[in-house]
Amino acid sequence: MENKKFDPASQIQRLEIFGEFGGVNPSITDSSTFTFMTAQTMIDTFHGETEGCFLYSRHWNPTNKNLSDAMAAMEGTEGAWVTGSGMGAITTVLLQLCNAGDHIVTSVTTYGGTYAFLKNYLPKFNIEVTFLDISDLESVEAAIRPNTKLIYTESVTNPLLQVSDIPKLSEIAKKHNTKLVVDNTFTPMILSPFLLGADIVVYSMTKFINGNNDAIAGAICASNDFVSAISDVNDGTAMLLGPVLDPMRSSSILKNLHTLHIRMKQHSKNAMYLAERFKEIGLKFNYPGMPEHSDYQLFNSIRNEEFGYGGMIAMDLETAERAAALMELMQIKGVGYHAVSLGYFKTLFSNPGKSTSSEVPENVQLDMGMSPGLVRFSVGLDHDIESTYKLIHSCLTELNLI
Ligand SMILES: *Cc1c(COP(=O)(O)O)cnc(C)c1O
């Protein structure tokens, strides 16, 4: 029997959230505080007892609720909470799950900011972290201790594009009564980590989800219990540290979310085109959509097929000097922008060792297999990717790199 596949795009599209005057877009509630008709309702709300009542926008705001509902629909989770940045989402989850003296098992390849938080910031609270190769499931299990509160990974890791075996990691987490937290920033819609067994899914919405590079934002997708816990007025990490997203931004991100499925398909299509050409000319690169990639089979077994293999490619030019020369020339020739971040309509490229992963010490970068000459591409929505490829090819030729 064939299972009806999960369809994250229709999940969002089926939501009917419109404005109180019938506007096809919901109204923006740009109020920090909300009025109450009776003193008792306010007391009840502070005790977390009044369903549907808004109190103060650091806690909940109707516009944020609309975007949260859409994110939860996309992930298949009960709830979600939106934050002012991806780091705001990640740090809220980690600080909510861990107390002083607890322990975290994490992939060594993560976003640089996440790595820095785990490595340099959590020791303040005496929270210990074990960094390991997340594809080595035996060492993941062996690293778990009685005080391990969570296993942390990125579904497709930054910048090496390794795919995490979420179903197996989930089995390990469940067996040891710990939580699996997955950052799905690189692969929204392509992977549905919650349905694969993750307990909590975090996003930097700054990237593909918003897709315009005009805002910083994040999201936490989880059970209603967890969302209530982080927003609890007495001890919720989100409520007390205050990383809430501004409702004006929530509103614009929700509108952009409605085109995410089309954008993801185009990013993936263009990245696949480039990967095939790179292969023809014998370049060294990583793209999890190529049969040669070590995680190709795994990726195929867990992804929502119609969205492709994603828009990220990492080319390895071996030295930082060669990477720099190529990036500078590509920018001059109009391939795209030499910029960090991803998920833009233009192709963006950067050298992770010198930028987004520079928080990771060089010896650790080498240990994890990260070459100093890596050029990470976030392939754009180019209508004419053939011409973009020709430009890249001419840059490579001019610099004698092929
Ligand atoms: C950018 C990024 C983050 C951090 O998100 P911000 O919105 O910049 O705070 C976290 N994880 C991954 C994988 C990212 O690419």
Side-chain angles (χ1 to χ4, degrees):
M1 209 177 74
E2 204 180 321
N3 279 333
K4 179 87 188 76
K5 292 224 182 69
F6 184 69
D7 177 353
S10 301
Q11 287 275 111
I12 298 172
Q13 214 149 35
R14 274 196 285 269
L15 293 173
E16 285 182 2
I17 28 182
F18 44 81
E20 66 260 53
F21 303 112
V24 292
N25 288 303
S27 317
I28 303 172
T29 304
D30 61 339
S31 288
S32 54
T33 191
F34 299 82
T35 178
F36 284 77
M37 301 314 278
T38 72
Q40 190 57 44
T41 337
M42 185 175 283
I43 296 168
D44 292 346
T45 305
F46 265 95
H47 288 103
E49 283 162 19
T50 314
E51 186 76 12
C53 266
F54 292 95
L55 176 70
Y56 188 66
S57 284
R58 170 156 42 78
H59 178 247
W60 266 117
N61 167 287
T63 308
N64 288 4
K65 182 77 169 71
N66 289 334
L67 178 58
S68 298
D69 287 349
M71 289 299 293
M74 177 173 91
E75 287 309 302
T77 52
E78 281 177 346
W81 203 84
V82 292
T83 53
S85 70
M87 285 309 296
I90 294 163
T91 55
T92 296
V93 169
L94 298 180
L95 292 174
Q96 181 72 27
L97 292 176
C98 294
N99 293 320
D102 284 338
H103 174 243
I104 294 173
V105 173
T106 180
S107 168
V108 64
T109 57
T110 59
Y111 176 71
T114 308
Y115 178 88
F117 183 74
L118 291 163
K119 182 89 186 168
N120 308 328
Y121 204 93
L122 287 181
K124 274 194 188 192
F125 304 108
N126 191 26
I127 296 169
E128 285 185 293
V129 183
T130 303
F131 296 87
L132 42 70
D133 173 0
I134 204 73
S135 63
D136 182 352
L137 297 167
E138 273 174 28
S139 58
V140 171
E141 185 156 15
I144 294 179
R145 310 173 188 168
N147 61 341
T148 305
K149 285 294 154 68
L150 66 112
I151 301 173
Y152 188 89
T153 193
E154 294 176 357
S155 42
V156 172
T157 64
N158 181 16
L160 292 172
L161 310 179
Q162 291 171 317
V163 182
S164 290
D165 193 337
I166 301 168
K168 292 250 172 63
L169 289 169
S170 163
E171 272 175 36
I172 296 172
K174 287 199 168 65
K175 184 171 156 199
H176 296 276
N177 199 23
T178 139
K179 301 279 185 229
L180 176 62
V181 180
V182 177
D183 178 340
N184 198 39
T185 300
F186 276 28
T187 45
M189 293 197 168
I190 296 173
L191 289 175
S192 300
F194 175 74
L195 299 177
L196 295 167
D199 296 284
I200 297 165
V201 183
V202 288
Y203 278 103
S204 167
M205 297 199 290
T206 310
K207 316 295 168 53
F208 288 106
I209 290 181
N210 186 47
N212 285 272
N213 270 305
D214 57 356
I216 300 283
I220 299 163
C221 303
S223 67
N224 279 336
D225 281 351
F226 189 75
V227 173
S228 299
I230 59 173
S231 55
D232 189 286
V233 294
N234 292 305
D235 59 7
T237 306
M239 184 60 186
L240 299 180
L241 297 190
V244 70
L245 182 59
D246 185 89
M248 296 285 195
R249 275 303 178 196
S250 279
S251 163
S252 65
I253 294 170
L254 178 60
K255 284 176 272 193
N256 295 332
L257 180 63
H258 290 303
T259 57
L260 178 64
H261 58 299
I262 302 170
R263 291 186 278 112
M264 288 317 291
K265 287 182 195 179
Q266 187 70 17
H267 284 299
S268 290
K269 188 175 154 203
N270 284 348
M272 183 56 98
Y273 181 88
L274 291 185
E276 278 168 351
R277 298 290 87 72
F278 290 172
K279 184 172 159 180
E280 278 168 11
I281 58 173
L283 272 177
K284 207 164 141 192
F285 69 97
N286 265 342
Y287 185 61
M290 301 309 272
E292 296 76 17
H293 190 284
S294 55
D295 298 328
Y296 178 71
Q297 305 287 355
L298 167 65
F299 203 9
N300 276 333
S301 72
I302 59 177
R303 74 199 172 91
N304 298 319
E305 253 170 60
E306 58 189 310
F307 301 102
Y309 294 91
M312 305 302 292
I313 299 188
M315 184 192 279
D316 183 2
L317 295 171
E318 277 155 10
T319 69
E321 292 68 33
R322 297 168 85 180
L326 179 69
M327 293 189 300
E328 283 170 12
L329 191 57
M330 286 196 301
Q331 174 152 278
I332 291 165
K333 293 218 178 182
V335 172
Y337 298 128
H338 175 205
V340 299
S341 198
L342 42 128
Y344 197 42
F345 78 90
K346 273 271 198 187
T347 294
L348 304 180
F349 34 84
S350 57
N351 177 348
K354 299 282 178 219
S355 59
T356 48
S357 294
S358 57
E359 297 92 335
V360 181
E362 267 176 36
N363 62 320
V364 181
Q365 290 184 12
L366 289 175
D367 270 359
M368 65 169 84
M370 205 175 107
S371 154
L374 214 61
V375 177
R376 185 190 77 175
F377 285 78
S378 165
V379 182
L381 298 173
D382 310 39
H383 183 56
D384 182 1
I385 191 68
E386 240 180 278
S387 297
T388 306
Y389 170 67
K390 284 185 185 140
L391 288 176
I392 299 173
H393 188 270
S394 73
C395 296
L396 288 163
T397 314
E398 195 174 317
L399 297 168
N400 289 319
L401 294 172
I402 47 172

